[in-house]
Amino acid sequence: MLTTLNTAYTDTRAADLAWTLGREPLPALATLDIEFADAKLQLRLLGASHQVLLEEERGTCSETVACIAGSSSPLPLGVAKRAGDWEYEFAARVETLSRGSFAGRAQELLALVADHPNGLAGVFPGSPHAFTAMLAQRHEGQVHWRTWHAYPQEGQLVATRTKVGVRVPARL
């Protein structure tokens, strides 16, 4: 699903993004509810980027990547956490592209996400290449999602990927 977000472009630099786990739901400009066989997922576009809410019988998981007031922690390159029966993995990458490459990559990503049944993308007013896009899937008992945050004024694209699943005991 592709939508135009009715808000000012809040997080205008890739360096302003921060990551948090376990935050309460924040006000969303657009949402997409996805039901997998044994999990509910909500993709949320915020004025300051994204939030994902996952609910399974074992519990819930909330990931927020956004420009958060008062947060000075930068976006991590990677995080791996265990919480009860859950394993959570997060990775982020910042790409700097030329103006022409950026526009092409932006169009490619928006086309990929806009027509996907588990995709949500929002374009910010003022630039067709200022967007946040999200895509989710369930694979082998794990929920995966990818996000892209575009900053055309800097030529930067922040890509994240997350995997959440039940912890598998080690074999002896």
Side-chain angles (χ1 to χ4, degrees):
M1 178 172 87
L2 179 63
T3 186
T4 299
L5 300 173
N6 188 17
T7 188
Y9 193 37
T10 303
D11 55 344
T12 56
R13 295 178 339 127
D16 292 339
L17 286 174
W19 166 88
T20 57
L21 200 56
R23 244 189 192 308
E24 291 296 316
L26 297 171
L29 300 173
T31 62
L32 178 65
D33 292 311
I34 302 167
E35 292 209 23
F36 295 115
D38 55 353
K40 291 181 183 179
L41 190 70
Q42 186 177 68
L43 304 179
R44 303 167 59 81
L45 295 177
L46 313 175
S49 279
H50 89 258
Q51 186 172 52
V52 177
L53 306 176
L54 172 64
E55 183 181 329
E56 283 189 334
E57 65 182 45
R58 286 181 170 81
T60 61
C61 178
S62 166
E63 173 190 279
T64 306
V65 173
C67 181
I68 301 168
S71 176
S72 60
S73 62
L75 189 65
L77 294 178
V79 175
K81 288 187 168 273
R82 286 185 179 172
D85 292 337
W86 296 87
E87 285 193 7
Y88 171 91
E89 292 179 23
F90 172 86
R93 181 180 85 247
V94 179
E95 294 177 65
T96 301
L97 304 165
S98 69
R99 186 176 297 257
S101 295
F102 188 92
R105 183 79 172 125
Q107 290 173 342
E108 176 184 284
L109 288 169
L110 287 172
L112 169 74
V113 174
D115 294 330
H116 195 285
N118 295 338
L120 176 63
V123 176
F124 290 90
S127 172
H129 302 129
F131 68 89
T132 299
M134 310 170 74
L135 190 60
Q137 67 178 6
R138 179 125 176 126
H139 181 66
E140 295 181 0
Q142 297 179 322
V143 178
H144 302 251
W145 58 88
R146 296 187 64 191
T147 72
W148 298 272
H149 306 260
Y151 301 92
Q153 71 284 5
E154 295 184 317
Q156 290 189 324
L157 184 67
V158 178
T160 73
R161 69 173 171 74
T162 302
K163 178 171 56 172
V164 179
V166 176
R167 195 163 117 200
V168 178
R171 293 183 186 178
L172 299 176

